[in-house]
Amino acid sequence: MTSAPQPLVDARDVNVWFDLPDGRELHAVRGADVRVNSREKLGIVGESGCGKSTLLMALMGLLPATASVSGRIEVMGADLLAGGERAFRAHRWKDLAIVFQGAMNALNPVIRVQRQIVEALELHEVASGMAAVHRASDLVRLVGLPEGVLRKFNHELSGGMRQRVSLAMALACDPRVLLADEPTTALDMMVAAQVLALIDRLTRELDLALVLVTHDLPLVTRTCDRIQVMYAGTVVESGTPADIYHQPQHPYTRLLFAATADVHSDGPDPVTILGAPPRLDQVVPGCAFEPRCPHSQARCATDVPQPQSAGKGRSWACHYPGEST
Ligand SMILES: Nc1ncnc2c1ncn2[C@@H]1O[C@H](COP(=O)(O)OP(=O)(O)OP(=O)(O)O)[C@@H](O)[C@H]1O
Ligand SMILES: [Mg+2]
């Protein structure tokens, strides 16, 4: 019997709370699991504020001091939450790297691209001196930029070039898993498509696994091997794109995808999901989607639905799965 390969990332029952200035807590991530296998592309989708970025930052161990995290976060078999900052530091950037949401606007405006990349390489002890300078040249070429970019400042670059530099910096330590948090949000459609094609090519050429957070549902359906749908801090459904698109079990998944216009299709006009997600600084007694759910029943308002697994990464958290809209 052959055992299943060990996942590169295996996070279970991750919870994140932020301390608020008024003494209350905001429960941003609620029992989320994330499993990423070698060379796998996982898409994470869900409305704004549902905890996607917070979950990625928890995996990186980069949440602010006001956050507390519980659960289990394993990267390459190492239990990082148990090992603390020392364990995170051993794997951060080297095994698990991230292109932050808004990264292209966070590059230092007064330092040339070359020095930014060299400083990152030296900080993470990948290379120093001339070796770091050469590695910086290799990295900009890897992301499809001319070497002249190394002498430029941030403001001299287009949005697409800046995002490529952010990508080069994330790849500096040769990671196994790349987390990309809305890497194309601020880019126009043509440039976004080029950056996505680049990420796709690099994941193949560098044997990377990818976790892609995006609001672009047609994109995630086309490019990812698995999709996780988040709502109010919880992973409410996960499966292959075919599962999620053709056989959604959670009413939120169905409505979310129905609410997305696909310009390439002649299908029905998109619908809107009435209402708004709940505030995460308040306790939700039952299913967080209950107030907006067209199929809610009495139990939904009082009992939190537990995730049901159908094997092979397929799961959902709904008391009445599969009810059609
Ligand atoms: N540092 C923080 N302190 C307090 N609350 C925070 C902090 N960072 C995030 N939050 C809250 O945590 C929740 C999840 O936020 P998060 O940024 O993870 O959502 P998201 O799914 O990435 O949204 P978007 O699609 O807009 O990027 C939100 O309610 C947000 O206001
Ligand atoms: Mg975000």
Side-chain angles (χ1 to χ4, degrees):
M1 199 179 84
T2 54
S3 58
Q6 187 185 45
L8 299 176
V9 177
D10 193 2
R12 306 276 172 114
D13 196 21
V14 176
N15 284 273
V16 179
W17 295 265
F18 288 110
D19 290 335
L20 298 176
D22 62 7
R24 288 176 311 122
E25 282 185 332
L26 185 146
H27 195 175
V29 176
R30 303 174 174 211
D33 291 353
V34 185
R35 203 180 158 97
V36 188
N37 292 315
S38 178
R39 299 186 193 132
E40 190 177 32
K41 291 183 201 160
L42 170 68
I44 301 183
V45 300
E47 273 165 291
S48 193
C50 69
K52 304 180 296 296
S53 299
T54 304
L55 179 57
L56 295 196
M57 294 302 258
L59 298 181
M60 293 293 294
L62 287 175
L63 287 165
T66 53
S68 8
V69 186
S70 74
R72 193 175 172 88
I73 298 177
E74 278 189 13
V75 172
M76 323 270 295
D79 184 343
L80 303 192
L81 267 188
E85 173 54 21
R86 209 184 151 104
F88 274 106
R89 205 176 315 126
H91 293 272
R92 192 185 296 139
W93 305 116
K94 298 165 190 105
D95 292 319
L96 195 61
I98 185 168
V99 176
F100 297 110
Q101 185 167 2
M104 57 186 256
N105 300 319
L107 296 171
N108 193 321
V110 293
I111 298 182
R112 290 179 206 275
V113 168
Q114 183 179 60
R115 219 176 104 209
Q116 299 206 40
I117 300 180
V118 166
E119 280 183 0
L121 290 165
E122 290 182 341
L123 185 71
H124 304 307
E125 295 172 1
V126 178
S128 61
M130 279 316 287
V133 170
H134 290 308
R135 174 91 177 124
S137 302
D138 291 345
L139 283 165
V140 294
R141 276 200 305 272
L142 182 69
V143 296
L145 290 170
E147 278 193 58
V149 159
L150 288 165
R151 291 185 294 280
K152 306 252 187 226
F153 290 101
N154 192 28
H155 68 268
E156 298 176 283
L157 306 178
S158 69
M161 289 168 124
R162 283 186 219 168
Q163 194 58 308
R164 284 172 194 256
V165 171
S166 311
L167 194 55
M169 290 175 70
L171 297 175
C173 305
D174 226 351
R176 303 284 313 278
V177 186
L178 177 68
L179 313 179
D181 194 351
E182 300 194 28
T184 58
T185 300
L187 302 174
D188 72 56
M189 262 173 73
M190 293 292 283
V191 177
Q194 288 165 4
V195 169
L196 285 166
L198 171 69
I199 291 175
D200 195 52
R201 177 172 67 75
L202 290 174
T203 52
R204 269 181 285 114
E205 286 179 3
L206 304 176
D207 255 355
L208 283 170
L210 176 71
V211 180
L212 177 66
V213 167
T214 178
H215 289 276
D216 187 338
L217 303 184
L219 166 83
V220 93
T221 310
R222 270 197 319 275
T223 58
C224 290
D225 304 307
R226 250 175 347 104
I227 299 175
Q228 292 197 173
V229 181
M230 288 188 73
Y231 185 77
T234 303
V235 176
V236 293
E237 184 157 3
S238 64
T240 63
D243 294 331
I244 296 289
Y245 196 73
H246 296 297
Q247 293 181 313
Q249 295 296 311
H250 199 289
Y252 178 66
T253 307
R254 195 174 312 109
L255 286 167
L256 183 70
F257 278 76
T260 305
D262 185 346
V263 290
H264 303 297
S265 108
D266 301 327
D269 287 343
V271 298
T272 48
I273 310 178
L274 297 174
R279 289 176 48 169
L280 298 179
D281 56 354
Q282 289 170 358
V283 175
V284 180
C287 171
F289 191 56
E290 185 275 332
R292 304 170 82 187
C293 181
H295 307 293
S296 82
Q297 302 191 31
R299 180 184 173 203
C300 305
T302 51
D303 298 356
V304 177
Q306 297 306 313
Q308 302 173 39
S309 173
K312 297 190 175 166
R314 180 80 177 112
S315 68
W316 52 82
C318 176
H319 292 306
Y320 302 100
E323 297 279 330
S324 61
T325 313

